[in-house]
Amino acid sequence: MITGSFDYLAPATLDETVTLLAQHGADAKLLAGGHSLIPAMKLRQTTPSLLIDVQNIHALRGIQVNTDALTIGAMTTHADIEYDDRLRARIPLLPQAAQIISDPLIRNRGTFGGALAQAEPEGDWPAVALALDTNIVATSATGRRTIPVTNFFLDTHTTALTPDEVLCAVEITIPPAHAHMMYRKRTHPANGYALVGVAVVATFTDDGTCDTCRIGITGAGRHPVRAVASEHLLVGQHWTAELIAAAAAACAGESLEFAGDRFASAVFRAHLLVVDVKRTLHELMEAAHANLRHMQ
Amino acid sequence: MTNPPKDIQRPHQYVGRAVTRHEDIRHVIGQGRFTSDITPAHPLYATILRSPHAHARICSIDATAAHQLAGVVAIYTGADLQDHIEPLPCNWILPGMHVPTQHALAVATVRFHGEGVAIVIAESPATARDALARIQVIYEPLPAVTNVVAAAQPEAPKVHDDLPNNITYSFPIQGGDYNYATQHADVRVHQKLINQNVVPSALEPRAVLAEYHAGTGHLTLHSSTQAPHTIKRMLAGVLRFPEHHIRVIAPDVGGGFGAKLHLYPEEVLCAFCAQALQRPIKWTATRSEDFLATNHGRDHEQEVEITALRDGTITGLKATLYANLGAYLSGMAPGIPAVNCGSMLTGVYHIPNVEILVHGVLTHTARVDTYRGAGRPEATYLIERAVDLVARELAMDPADVRRKNFIPPDAFPYQGTIPGPQYDSGNYERNLDKALMLVDYVHLRQQQEELRHQGRYLGIGLCTYTEFTGIGRGAFHDMVGFQHGGWEYARVLVHPTGKVTVFSGIADHGQGHKTSFAQIAADALGLPLKDIDIVQGDTAQVPFGNGTFNSRSMPVGGTAIHLCCDRIIAKAKRIAAHTLHVQPHDLDYTNGCFRVCHSHEKRQEATEASHMIAHTVRNDQHELSFIEVARLAHFIPSYPPDLEPGLDEQLFHEPPNMTYPFGTYVAVVEVDPETGDVVWQRLVAVDDCGRIINPLLARGQVHGGVAQGLGQALLEGTHYHDDGTLASTNWMSYAFPRATHIPAIETDHTITPTPHNPLGVKGLGEAATIATPPALVNAIVDALAPFGVRHIDMPVSAERIWSAIQLAQRGADS
């Protein structure tokens, strides 16, 4: 397991980094937590001539919580998110998802920004980011731009980032305090990614009507997507078992190209997606009803 | 020194106590010393160019560009070496079987994905790795076959030209009259079973360091192996190198599970290159190489038919086994399916009519040989699934069918219907009862019934197993063509200060022998544990040995140490008796002290000789400590005429027969029929391995074995592309059990000592790997009984469960 030879630089600032990227383009790779890149290099599936290690850029790491939104630096680790009490209070979905990513060793090194930029079709964070109102902040030598997460994942391992851009932060709107949220993951028995992952954030009005609902799904296609058709069925409605069943079934109609493997075929994944969406929505509905009873 | 020194204060007995592992601290603080940790001065590094094809003709190899890379020292191909290196041997050759030739590097034809084609030697590991990409090999791909039954068909691609049908042997085992059984049976149950190909996956991949000393002509090989002495013997043959100039060292070894038991091409190649280039050669497998080129395990397709009477009495068993042995025969490969599996197929049951046929088949896969359990898991899975199918067919409780057919306690030593060694001792029903009580079986069955009414599916699966451990004796080996000793060697050396070094030919690779062997020796010698050190894994320090396999460490290796310690005490007694002017039989030895028995306190007349040792022992002295005797053994001024100085004994212990541990495993699962999810609720493991040396290590063996058994039952299995190349070459594509997959495990024991050794011990290292898969699969199938599901092959994935339910329901609807 020996990589090919490569140059290694560890700039101290974002400016230096984007300059290097502008110079070297696709020959360079950014090194964040390294949990996707290093194994691929050891297997010589990728042989970059330059590694730009961004771990010395302290501005890239950390969680900033404001009144309505929060900003998570790209180099913030899964463990940072898992153990952040402010997140636990404001967006519990994030620490809940963080704690079921792979194992503690990986969570201590793997990064939030790295995982999103990797655009793993079975990754956990993409589904969660899609279920939240998320914007990706990217910087290059020519400037800074914000990409809504719904436009971010284009294909397997392919995002809207250009080769000269650095994903430097993620901005997430904090859902209302009464929002219900959950990430349900069915862990792949070999690689530990999501065989199927469903993240849902929903709000309900005082009479129990669904006000907003965003569903992010992963593991089910070429890249993580929002289940828009399902969301449409659910918003503005009182959720019932029948409605949930219809919404879950609508997921399978998202023209997803299920990528099966010998652990779970495409047909089985399509089935599991419907079951898991249904079960997730049921749990949220029950939580919302419980909340409603509590308020009454 | 008239009283025993205070440091001799010791508990009466160490055997049976949960002594913590002496080895742990070394590994916890990072002071382990594995093969790859050892780097002598001026080393060179080896990499192996491996075939990307499962089967191909090598048209040409051009290493020019690789040679041009700075730092590349040498490159050898199979053609370069075939005149210098003999083919790798197989040590278990069944009567009349065909043995194909395996070169250390492929010559002209590659026969499995990952077979070595060339070896590169370079100044750094990175250069050696870079050079691989610069070697141009032109292959002509040929059709390949990786499925064992497909390989045995007449039209299958041939693995070796000199073996027309890929079948190396067909080994029949018979007893009674199976046809009679079928004619008189009330029920006849048939099932096809797949015991899939799995990758043993030791934490430490294989690694080799070879050093040749030109001045002495000696070769030293460090290797991550379970059997250094076997490697030494075979290296000598393959390299035509004088065996007395070879030293093989297995330093810390990070697991083996049977896959590190046999000679590998890399050991031979590194040793050859060290001699040829006169520089140390290091090689460490990558994880992918471990998947490709380390032996795999299991890989059977089995047809089983079982006949029974309406009351549950099993009357006959017929089994046809197709066992994949891989593209070449590894050390013990042929015997594992034929003998280890074939002779154990009746399990814990008396079955009067048996008809077995085992086909050993070559395919285009990596070699398949011993993997934890080695044949007994394949046998146990077959019989335990079959017994459950009989219970289902007769609508009987699976526990009752087992009970009805158990070999009764008074039948031991038990000679089965089929030829083979006798089972030594057993009390299966007592063991089953204990397991059923622990799991609260009656209540569980009620709970299962209640839950089914609520649409929840609880499954309870049993496995009652036996197996054999400590393979021996020589006559049996000879009968089945096993060219391997069943004996074990021990040497017990007492230093002049009374400290003891024990040398064993068993080779620890994680088992904790430094602890368990020390417990045996400490008890046998009556000494504190801290005074005993165990040396293993170095042919220069331990001249003889057969290594670690077949759970033989305690029953054979431990017994050898025990018996050798007895010799030490016998000699020490003679020294003490001589010194105290009594006869040896006048002395008792307890708690580290030789004392004159009360009835023999009359002392001999003081002689001139005793006068000469008066400075050592007073005339009125009645006892001597072990430490004092150890000192006397080296410094006594006069020895009895037939006694040599020193306190140093060695012996070879040949076991009179194998020992047969047994036990009952009960798995309790709940299955979600909508998703196929299995929630493992309980696993109760009640083993009987006779007397237990160290309950903590015993539990560790069960825990590890359950994890690997679970792996095979639910997760693991190689997968090959249509062209025969291996698709699962790392842990991203091969599901291996992780901590989160493992349930809480409840362990217990019954104790039925073996009559075959003075410790009363049987092996335990493989039991859980043998018993867990059938218990778990039986539990899952039991949970799905209401859907009409009768069988699911391993690995029982969620999708297989879901599909089985869909299929059964479609069958029921139509």
Side-chain angles (χ1 to χ4, degrees):
Chain A
M1 299 295 264
I2 296 167
T3 68
S5 62
F6 56 88
D7 291 326
Y8 171 88
L9 292 170
T13 67
L14 192 55
D15 283 348
E16 284 174 70
T17 307
V18 295
T19 307
L20 284 169
L21 271 184
Q23 284 166 6
H24 295 276
D27 293 340
K29 287 266 188 200
L30 290 176
L31 175 65
H35 275 82
S36 297
L37 181 59
I38 302 290
M41 288 173 65
K42 284 181 167 182
L43 292 167
R44 302 207 175 195
Q45 290 164 347
T46 180
T47 51
S49 56
L50 172 65
L51 272 196
I52 305 171
D53 186 345
V54 292
Q55 69 172 332
N56 293 340
I57 309 171
H58 300 299
L60 289 182
R61 184 164 177 177
I63 302 165
Q64 197 187 324
V65 182
N66 300 320
T67 320
D68 301 325
L70 59 89
T71 304
I72 301 178
M75 287 295 283
T76 305
T77 65
H78 311 317
D80 290 341
I81 295 171
E82 182 179 359
Y83 294 109
D84 192 295
D85 289 337
R86 299 165 302 167
L87 292 185
R88 216 172 279 276
R90 306 295 297 276
I91 314 187
L93 178 62
L94 289 168
Q96 187 231 328
Q99 72 185 8
I100 48 176
I101 292 173
S102 196
D103 58 51
L105 284 74
I106 285 177
R107 297 201 288 273
N108 283 332
R109 287 197 70 91
T111 65
F112 189 59
L116 291 173
Q118 181 68 17
E120 200 62 58
E122 301 176 316
D124 298 299
W125 283 134
V128 172
L130 284 163
L132 291 160
D133 181 9
T134 305
N135 286 304
I136 311 292
V137 182
T139 305
S140 70
T142 55
R144 182 174 186 271
R145 66 173 178 139
T146 299
I147 310 162
V149 71
T150 37
N151 301 337
F152 185 72
F153 302 109
L154 304 181
D155 206 339
T156 300
H157 299 155
T158 307
T159 67
L161 292 170
T162 57
D164 63 340
E165 279 182 318
V166 179
L167 190 166
C168 54
V170 179
E171 294 170 353
I172 302 174
T173 307
I174 297 172
H178 62 276
H180 293 274
M181 54 189 83
M182 171 182 271
Y183 178 56
R184 179 187 293 272
K185 175 183 182 179
R186 188 173 295 276
T187 304
H188 190 288
N191 64 33
Y193 287 118
L195 202 63
V196 171
V198 180
V200 183
V201 178
T203 56
F204 299 86
T205 60
D206 290 349
D207 70 351
T209 308
C210 174
D211 199 15
T212 64
C213 178
R214 283 174 71 125
I215 303 173
I217 55 183
T218 186
R222 297 188 57 83
H223 61 89
V225 293
R226 262 179 80 177
V228 181
S230 308
E231 293 171 7
H232 279 312
L233 287 174
L234 294 162
V235 173
Q237 304 292 325
H238 273 276
W239 290 7
T240 61
E242 293 72 28
L243 181 70
I244 285 174
C251 258
E254 295 285 351
S255 66
L256 297 167
E257 288 177 53
F258 287 95
D261 63 15
R262 67 200 179 83
F263 297 97
S265 67
V267 170
F268 187 51
R269 285 186 196 222
H271 164 74
L272 289 176
L273 174 66
V274 172
V275 173
D276 285 350
V277 170
K278 182 183 75 180
R279 290 183 177 185
T280 308
L281 295 174
H282 264 286
E283 283 193 43
L284 291 184
M285 177 176 76
E286 278 157 27
H289 286 172
N291 211 20
L292 216 56
R293 279 195 299 276
H294 182 70
M295 280 164 31
Q296 287 158 358
Chain B
M1 297 258 293
T2 54
N3 292 316
K6 289 283 179 276
D7 68 357
I8 291 292
Q9 299 299 321
R10 60 181 293 282
H12 179 60
Q13 192 168 295
Y14 289 109
V15 169
R17 288 176 53 206
V19 177
T20 53
R21 278 164 43 110
H22 184 70
E23 296 82 341
D24 287 342
I25 189 68
R26 188 167 85 253
H27 294 301
V28 167
I29 65 173
Q31 293 295 307
R33 193 164 174 269
F34 297 84
T35 297
S36 294
D37 293 328
I38 302 162
T39 304
H42 312 300
L44 290 171
Y45 295 86
T47 52
I48 308 289
L49 181 71
R50 298 189 182 279
S51 168
H53 301 286
H55 190 199
R57 194 160 294 122
I58 301 172
C59 301
S60 66
I61 303 178
D62 180 359
T64 315
H67 274 295
Q68 285 164 354
L69 194 64
V72 170
V73 174
I75 298 170
Y76 300 104
T77 65
D80 297 334
L81 301 184
Q82 64 170 328
D83 292 337
H84 304 282
I85 299 178
E86 295 290 329
L88 273 66
C90 171
N91 302 308
W92 199 337
I93 299 167
L94 298 162
M97 74 170 288
H98 176 85
V99 180
T101 302
Q102 181 185 14
H103 293 291
L105 290 171
V107 177
T109 305
V110 289
R111 294 185 176 85
F112 69 94
H113 178 201
E115 182 173 5
V117 171
I119 181 168
V120 176
I121 307 292
E123 295 285 351
S124 77
T127 304
R129 174 66 183 81
D130 286 345
L132 295 182
R134 292 174 168 236
I135 302 175
Q136 302 283 321
V137 185
I138 296 174
Y139 295 98
E140 180 196 337
L142 299 168
V145 60
T146 57
N147 175 273
V148 63
V149 171
Q153 303 310 310
E155 67 279 9
K158 304 295 166 254
V159 183
H160 293 270
D161 292 337
D162 54 354
L163 183 62
N165 56 3
N166 294 330
I167 300 174
T168 60
Y169 66 77
S170 294
F171 191 77
I173 306 172
Q174 266 173 323
D177 181 354
Y178 182 72
N179 275 334
Y180 174 89
T182 58
Q183 285 155 16
H184 297 83
D186 293 326
V187 290
R188 196 166 155 181
V189 179
H190 175 266
Q191 183 63 47
K192 178 186 164 186
L193 301 167
I194 295 176
N195 209 297
Q196 80 272 31
N197 181 313
V198 294
V199 177
S201 299
L203 190 55
E204 181 205 14
R206 288 187 295 118
V208 179
L209 162 64
E211 295 168 90
Y212 177 74
H213 303 274
T216 59
H218 284 208
L219 176 70
T220 301
L221 190 87
H222 283 79
S223 183
S224 181
T225 180
Q226 301 172 223
H229 299 87
T230 311
I231 301 304
K232 175 168 79 77
R233 169 165 58 93
M234 290 196 286
L235 263 187
V238 172
L239 292 174
R240 302 176 210 129
F241 198 98
E243 188 181 356
H244 62 309
H245 290 179
I246 301 177
R247 176 184 184 184
V248 176
I249 302 170
D252 279 329
V253 175
F257 309 114
K260 290 183 187 165
L261 183 54
H262 313 289
L263 184 71
Y264 278 92
E266 293 83 359
E267 290 166 317
V268 177
L269 292 167
C270 289
F272 173 84
C273 291
Q275 190 184 3
L277 303 171
Q278 311 242 331
R279 298 260 306 266
I281 307 290
K282 288 192 70 163
W283 173 78
T284 304
T286 65
R287 183 55 64 187
S288 299
E289 283 183 294
D290 202 58
F291 274 87
L292 288 169
T294 294
N295 291 353
H296 294 183
R298 316 280 189 257
D299 207 354
H300 284 204
E301 284 199 25
Q302 309 170 328
E303 298 279 348
V304 56
E305 195 177 87
I306 190 160
T307 59
L309 304 179
R310 212 170 306 285
D311 69 354
T313 304
I314 295 170
T315 55
L317 173 74
K318 181 179 181 181
T320 308
L321 274 49
Y322 286 85
N324 178 23
L325 306 177
Y328 302 98
L329 297 178
S330 164
M332 298 182 190
I336 301 309
V339 177
N340 287 23
C341 181
S343 72
M344 291 308 296
L345 280 167
T346 54
V348 289
Y349 312 106
H350 175 73
I351 304 179
N353 304 294
V354 181
E355 190 176 306
I356 294 160
L357 185 58
V358 185
H359 302 288
V361 184
L362 297 178
T363 72
H364 294 101
T365 69
R367 305 186 305 182
V368 182
D369 200 334
T370 46
Y371 168 52
R372 200 171 187 176
R376 290 98 77 206
E378 298 91 310
T380 305
Y381 184 74
L382 179 145
I383 188 66
E384 289 301 293
R385 283 293 299 124
V387 168
D388 257 36
L389 288 166
V390 168
R392 171 82 74 92
E393 189 74 20
L394 294 170
M396 283 179 72
D397 188 302
D400 293 340
V401 176
R402 284 173 168 80
R403 208 182 287 277
K404 185 138 200 111
N405 292 284
F406 277 159
I407 298 160
D410 58 8
F412 293 92
Y414 170 76
Q415 180 63 56
T417 312
I418 53 179
Q422 289 184 333
Y423 290 15
D424 57 342
S425 62
N427 191 331
Y428 303 149
E429 190 156 17
R430 182 177 66 176
N431 181 278
L432 172 69
D433 286 341
K434 184 163 190 175
L436 296 184
M437 191 191 72
L438 279 172
V439 81
D440 201 356
Y441 188 72
V442 175
H443 176 246
L444 268 179
R445 285 287 176 205
Q446 289 166 353
Q447 200 189 349
Q448 177 182 44
E449 199 51 42
E450 288 160 16
L451 285 173
R452 279 178 183 171
H453 292 300
Q454 302 168 27
R456 290 177 59 188
Y457 299 91
L458 197 70
I460 305 151
L462 299 179
C463 171
T464 46
Y465 77 92
T466 185
E467 55 138 342
F468 63 73
T469 65
I471 191 164
R473 53 192 294 163
F476 174 67
H477 292 194
D478 189 56
M479 186 178 85
V480 296
F482 185 41
Q483 298 162 17
H484 207 288
W487 51 263
E488 197 42 78
Y489 169 87
R491 176 183 172 197
V492 178
L493 182 159
V494 182
H495 300 269
T497 53
K499 306 295 186 201
V500 177
T501 305
V502 175
F503 300 86
S504 171
I506 298 282
D508 182 278
H509 49 285
Q511 287 82 359
H513 296 154
K514 270 191 180 300
T515 309
S516 50
F517 282 167
Q519 287 177 266
I520 292 171
D523 275 5
L525 296 173
L527 294 177
L529 204 57
K530 67 176 174 55
D531 286 359
I532 316 283
D533 192 27
I534 307 292
V535 173
Q536 295 174 270
D538 178 352
T539 63
Q541 293 194 72
V542 188
F544 303 101
N546 277 310
T548 297
F549 65 98
N550 192 230
S551 304
R552 64 192 296 275
S553 301
M554 290 308 124
V556 189
T559 299
I561 291 169
H562 176 87
L563 295 174
C564 198
C565 289
D566 286 351
R567 288 194 184 173
I568 289 286
I569 293 301
K571 182 171 179 187
K573 225 174 219 183
R574 292 185 64 192
I575 295 167
H578 175 68
T579 310
L580 295 171
H581 316 301
V582 295
Q583 294 300 314
H585 62 256
D586 295 334
L587 290 175
D588 279 338
Y589 181 65
T590 49
N591 282 334
C593 191
F594 296 91
R595 281 190 188 84
V596 179
C597 310
H598 291 303
S599 55
H600 295 283
E601 280 187 3
K602 188 171 181 300
R603 308 294 294 269
Q604 291 176 347
E605 292 295 311
T607 62
E608 193 178 349
S610 69
H611 177 71
M612 283 173 66
I613 56 167
H615 68 282
T616 312
V617 180
R618 293 196 321 272
N619 270 339
D620 62 344
Q621 195 170 331
H622 291 264
E623 56 189 35
L624 280 171
S625 73
F626 185 86
I627 290 174
E628 185 61 10
V629 174
R631 196 181 72 80
L632 287 167
H634 294 86
F635 302 118
I636 194 170
S638 83
Y639 296 89
D642 54 348
L643 198 64
E644 294 170 10
L647 203 44
D648 180 11
E649 298 287 340
Q650 63 173 342
L651 61 74
F652 291 76
H653 167 62
E654 169 94 334
N657 202 340
M658 297 183 275
T659 62
Y660 289 73
F662 57 91
T664 305
Y665 280 48
V666 189
V668 184
V669 301
E670 185 173 352
V671 179
D672 180 338
E674 196 178 18
T675 60
D677 286 337
V678 175
V679 178
W680 194 340
Q681 295 193 340
R682 291 183 72 184
L683 183 85
V684 170
V686 181
D687 291 286
D688 192 322
C689 57
R691 194 163 162 224
I692 298 161
I693 305 295
N694 183 325
L696 186 65
L697 297 192
R699 199 156 71 236
Q701 286 290 354
V702 174
H703 285 183
V706 167
Q708 283 181 307
L710 173 151
Q712 178 171 20
L714 299 184
L715 300 166
E716 298 183 51
T718 54
H719 179 61
Y720 293 87
H721 292 124
D722 289 344
D723 65 2
T725 55
L726 185 64
S728 42
T729 56
N730 59 45
W731 285 336
M732 294 292 277
S733 51
Y734 182 94
F736 198 68
R738 323 266 169 115
T740 50
H741 291 117
I742 315 298
I745 301 161
E746 301 160 64
T747 62
D748 209 330
H749 289 261
T750 56
I751 294 176
T752 309
T754 178
H756 292 329
N757 61 61
L759 293 167
V761 297
K762 305 180 179 189
L764 181 66
E766 299 161 286
T769 325
I770 293 166
T772 303
L776 193 44
V777 175
N778 282 345
I780 292 168
V781 174
D782 181 55
L784 301 179
F787 297 98
V789 173
R790 202 172 158 275
H791 177 69
I792 304 178
D793 276 316
M794 301 186 290
V796 186
S797 64
E799 179 160 14
R800 283 189 174 172
I801 291 173
W802 179 74
S803 303
I805 295 171
Q806 306 293 309
L807 200 66
Q809 290 192 322
R810 272 203 298 276
D813 292 346
S814 60

